[in-house]
Amino acid sequence: MAKAEKTIAVAGAGSIGCYAGGCLALAGRKVVFLGRGRIVEAMRKDGLRVSDLDGRDRRIAAQALVATDDPATALRDADIVLVAVKSGATQEMAAEIAAHGRRDVVVISLQNGVDNADRLRAGLPGRHVLAGMVLFNVVQSPDGETPFRVHRASEGDVMIDDGVEGLVDLLDVDGLAVEARADMKAVQWSKLLFNLNNALVALCGLPLATQLADRRWRQILADQIDEALGAMKAAGIKTARIAALPPALLPKVLRLPDWLFKLLARRMLAIDPNARSSMWDDLQRDRPTEIDELQGAILRLAQKTGVPVPLTKRIVALVRRAEADRRGSPGLTPDEVSGGPRSA
């Protein structure tokens, strides 16, 4: 796969899409950003700034970017489409790719959850659709900061389905480490366990590093993961090792006293101090969250297997209440989220 000759369309110019596309463009790849609203307008006007917790801080001038809100313009010549829209827009994006994309296009889902690649395949019969997973957190610059900036706020790689020759070589660039995996479904379920914390950050409003440093919040996360692992085991779903800790050990480590957790989980706590979760950002911007793709996936498994998941149900209800209230993060305490007192 000749790098300079391939066109990569980023379908969804949000945090993840702009970071991945920005790294690719900085490495000389031909990138077209497809999005709408304030981000595309900001990129057209002032360009894009791409930074990370490792110290990189790079800029792309507006005249060096191709950013559009027209699906036909973005998709018609694309060899690769990186789908980075929220889960609720997956079917709409599949329809756009079906209408405007080439028959031989390679489509890669870089979305949260475990079902989006399957939804893309259903909407794109005959096209090559790969599952992918982003294992790091990206935050956007505050409104009004110029140029628009995306900042990788934690460590992690991008993992994609194996099977397309030269694809990793095309996508693996400075600031964006890409790995091919033969077990992507297990990777997706393992990432889902980590993503169960997104809702806790959204509900408490604390920065991710502050929240994870508090054992009371980690205990709630550990209880959620235990419920999820129970439902997954009953359904015969396997996990994959995607971080330093195997998923089965994660609840035990999360429950450690603060001093010991900080000592043993340094990589987990290597997070930009301002980073929160995409679900927190959704509440702040009055957008639908991805709760149905995260905790909701565990609820669906529980219904099929008969495994009780009371805490998961409670957290889903709290997030839906916050969505309905439309006031941003409700700033709840650990006791308010768990429904009972939590010891530090």
Side-chain angles (χ1 to χ4, degrees):
M1 188 172 286
K3 302 173 188 176
E5 298 173 2
K6 300 297 180 180
T7 298
I8 302 168
V10 176
S15 298
I16 294 295
C18 284
Y19 182 81
C23 288
L24 289 163
L26 285 160
R29 307 297 190 260
K30 186 178 180 181
V31 178
V32 180
F33 294 88
L34 173 61
R36 60 183 60 154
R38 64 182 182 88
I39 295 178
V40 167
E41 291 174 7
M43 291 169 66
R44 287 171 172 169
K45 181 181 178 183
D46 299 304
L48 177 65
R49 183 179 170 192
V50 182
S51 60
D52 62 43
L53 80 169
D54 298 320
R56 298 178 186 86
D57 193 344
R58 301 172 288 175
R59 300 190 181 199
I60 310 171
Q63 59 268 28
L65 286 171
V66 180
T68 180
D69 57 5
D70 178 25
T73 299
L75 299 171
R76 63 190 173 202
D77 296 321
D79 299 281
I80 311 292
V81 177
L82 304 180
V83 179
V85 297
K86 289 295 181 70
S87 298
T90 299
Q91 289 175 307
E92 178 186 352
M93 185 52 65
E96 296 289 7
I97 297 170
H100 306 293
R102 290 166 24 185
R103 295 295 304 176
D104 63 347
V105 68
V106 176
V107 180
I108 307 172
S109 168
L110 297 183
Q111 301 161 278
N112 281 331
V114 295
D115 298 323
N116 282 305
D118 294 331
R119 290 174 184 153
L120 288 169
R121 291 185 186 107
L124 294 166
R127 287 181 168 89
H128 201 155
V129 178
L130 306 178
M133 185 56 62
V134 177
L135 302 183
F136 51 78
N137 176 285
V138 176
V139 296
Q140 300 179 12
S141 57
D143 290 347
E145 181 180 312
T146 57
F148 175 73
R149 179 168 68 105
V150 282
H151 178 75
R152 178 170 59 81
S154 63
E155 295 185 352
D157 299 344
V158 174
M159 297 182 178
I160 61 174
D161 270 321
D162 199 2
V164 177
E165 185 178 354
L167 186 57
V168 168
D169 193 39
L170 176 72
L171 301 177
D172 183 57
V173 297
D174 190 30
L176 186 73
V178 179
E179 174 188 350
R181 297 282 295 242
D183 58 346
M184 274 306 302
K185 186 57 76 171
V187 166
Q188 289 176 310
W189 280 102
S190 297
K191 176 66 188 310
L192 178 66
L193 296 175
F194 287 87
N195 277 346
L196 295 177
N197 198 42
N198 289 11
L200 301 185
V201 174
L203 291 170
C204 72
L206 297 170
L208 184 55
T210 302
Q211 181 249 355
L212 280 176
D214 187 332
R215 186 173 182 235
R216 295 172 302 168
W217 286 113
R218 294 198 310 276
Q219 286 176 318
I220 298 173
L221 176 57
D223 290 347
Q224 279 193 100
I225 293 173
D226 275 339
E227 288 187 352
L229 286 170
M232 289 163 63
K233 182 178 180 180
I237 294 172
K238 297 184 180 300
T239 60
R241 188 163 182 166
I242 60 174
L245 286 173
L249 291 181
L250 190 56
K252 294 180 181 179
V253 173
L254 288 169
R255 292 188 176 103
L256 292 173
D258 286 340
W259 70 269
L260 187 53
F261 178 79
K262 292 174 184 178
L263 183 66
L264 296 179
R266 290 177 183 174
R267 290 189 65 185
M268 192 182 297
L269 291 172
I271 308 167
D272 185 278
N274 296 315
R276 287 178 171 85
S277 69
S278 58
M279 195 176 294
W280 172 85
D281 193 53
D282 288 337
L283 287 183
Q284 296 301 104
R285 297 183 182 278
D286 192 20
R287 298 184 303 221
T289 72
E290 291 185 305
I291 191 68
D292 286 337
E293 303 304 317
L294 302 179
Q295 274 81 355
I298 304 305
L299 287 186
R300 290 188 289 275
L301 271 190
Q303 289 170 356
K304 290 179 182 178
T305 61
V307 174
V309 290
L311 178 60
T312 303
K313 287 183 180 179
R314 178 176 176 82
I315 289 170
V316 169
L318 290 171
V319 171
R320 286 180 174 152
R321 184 186 303 168
E323 287 179 315
D325 287 345
R326 305 178 69 176
R327 297 177 182 174
S329 171
L332 301 182
T333 66
D335 290 354
E336 289 170 327
V337 171
S338 66
R342 290 275 163 174
S343 58

